[in-house]
Amino acid sequence: MSSIDPTTTTIETEADSASAPPDVRHGVLRRTFRAKRAWIGAIALALITLWAFVGPLLAPYNATDSDVLAFGAAPGGGHWFGTNDIGQDVYAQTLVGLQKSIIIGLIAGPLATLIAGFVGAIAGYFGGVADRVIVWVIDLLLVIPSFFILVLVSPIFKQLSWVALVVLISVFSWMIMARVVRGQTMSLRERDFVKAARYMGVKPLTIIRRHIIPNVASLLIIDATLGVGAAIIFESTLSYFGFGIQVPDVSLGSLLASYSNAAVTRPWLFALPAATLIATVLATSLLGDAFRDAIDPTSGANRD
């Protein structure tokens, strides 16, 4: 008959019961969608995404077609956003650019959050040399203007696909959240359930995955949501100045750059892609803001 160590059993029970925070996901979602701006942001973002990917299928022209009978035409008829100087449909171009901007935002934002969560948890949990090195790298990247670094390295990546741009945006977008996660991890590693897991011989990376990350998941969700809009703005800015999406690809930023000279004489060429960009970023910001207030109600009390 095997004996049972009551001390080990107690520690195992404590660790199991506290290995993850209470399941607050449903509560967070419920509080999030009590705010009107959450519904506005979610519905707007869903409609914009649907429009971006279904709209081209319903449009009478594609982004590369040239209508020889409608050079520089105003919105109307079959060209809902008008045409450019060579008769290309601006509506179709806007939707193609919107697709690329949404895809880049949806990949780069969460990827930057993933990097921040992993790096911040490693620094906060291990401390010592690892923490000092990571903090030094974070401080260095925060001091160096990321936009100018991307401008300098962009010629190297011009021949590569837009995936390289996604990686670059992610690499320069994780530092602030990594500092937040590091601070939370330094507090969590002293909690009883983390100590219990450590005494039981659980590997550090397993502790980070099972105990640390779930306890900072709410912060990471907020960062990922807001990061989508930030990544879209970042990509659009780079593309506007010619350092982002390259021909034959198109994004909202490159469209704005192409049509900026016509902003006064033919304002629809510039204004309609710009309005699309603003609406997309605003929708993601509203949703992320509602998530933040649901998790930290004191951050935006009585705003709705």
Side-chain angles (χ1 to χ4, degrees):
M1 182 175 179
S2 60
S3 60
I4 300 176
D5 186 348
T7 304
T8 303
T9 303
T10 302
I11 293 176
E12 289 178 350
T13 302
E14 181 182 359
D16 290 339
S17 63
S19 61
D23 186 7
V24 298
R25 288 175 296 178
H26 298 299
V28 169
L29 286 175
R30 188 167 54 249
R31 290 195 300 273
T32 297
F33 285 98
R34 283 178 185 166
K36 289 186 237 182
R37 63 185 180 282
W39 284 104
I40 294 172
I43 292 172
L45 186 58
L47 291 176
I48 289 171
T49 304
L50 183 66
W51 178 46
F53 290 94
V54 177
L57 303 177
L58 307 176
Y61 299 92
N62 63 40
T64 57
D65 286 341
S66 181
D67 187 351
V68 296
L69 300 178
F71 290 154
H79 300 287
W80 301 331
F81 282 14
T83 62
N84 61 15
D85 290 335
I86 59 175
Q88 291 178 327
D89 188 70
V90 178
Y91 174 81
Q93 289 183 333
T94 300
L95 293 187
V96 172
L98 180 59
Q99 287 178 10
K100 188 59 58 67
S101 295
I102 288 175
I103 291 172
I104 290 174
L106 289 176
I107 297 175
L111 181 58
T113 298
L114 183 65
I115 296 171
F118 178 76
V119 173
I122 291 292
Y125 183 81
F126 287 101
V129 175
D131 182 43
R132 289 195 294 273
V133 170
I134 290 173
V135 169
W136 180 82
V137 172
I138 291 173
D139 290 341
L140 178 64
L141 291 175
L142 286 174
V143 170
I144 297 175
S146 57
F147 179 82
F148 295 108
I149 296 297
L150 288 173
V151 168
L152 290 175
V153 302
S154 64
I156 302 173
F157 295 92
K158 276 189 176 181
Q159 302 305 318
L160 301 178
S161 70
W162 56 268
V163 176
L165 181 62
V166 170
V167 174
L168 285 173
I169 292 174
S170 302
V171 165
F172 287 96
S173 303
W174 56 272
M175 293 81 72
I176 294 177
M177 180 50 60
R179 271 192 166 278
V180 175
V181 172
R182 170 182 173 268
Q184 292 293 316
T185 302
M186 293 176 69
S187 174
L188 288 168
R189 72 182 179 185
E190 304 301 325
R191 299 282 295 273
D192 289 342
F193 62 89
V194 175
K195 289 182 178 179
R198 192 159 55 238
Y199 294 151
M200 291 166 58
V202 180
K203 295 179 180 180
L205 291 181
T206 302
I207 293 176
I208 290 173
R209 177 170 58 85
R210 292 182 180 176
H211 302 271
I212 303 299
I213 296 300
N215 278 278
V216 297
S218 58
L219 295 174
L220 297 178
I221 291 171
I222 296 170
D223 185 67
T225 306
L226 294 173
V228 172
I232 291 174
I233 293 176
F234 206 160
E235 176 276 320
S236 298
T237 304
L238 287 170
S239 298
Y240 182 84
F241 288 105
F243 302 108
I245 297 296
Q246 303 295 319
V247 177
D249 282 340
V250 63
S251 76
L252 293 177
S254 62
L255 284 178
L256 293 178
S258 298
Y259 299 139
S260 60
N261 291 334
V264 176
T265 57
R266 288 172 291 168
W268 60 86
L269 291 177
F270 182 85
L272 294 174
T276 301
L277 175 62
I278 292 171
T280 304
V281 174
L282 181 60
T284 58
S285 298
L286 287 173
L287 189 57
D289 193 51
F291 268 122
R292 181 185 61 201
D293 289 350
I295 292 167
D296 180 15
T298 62
S299 66
N302 301 320
R303 278 203 282 177
D304 288 317

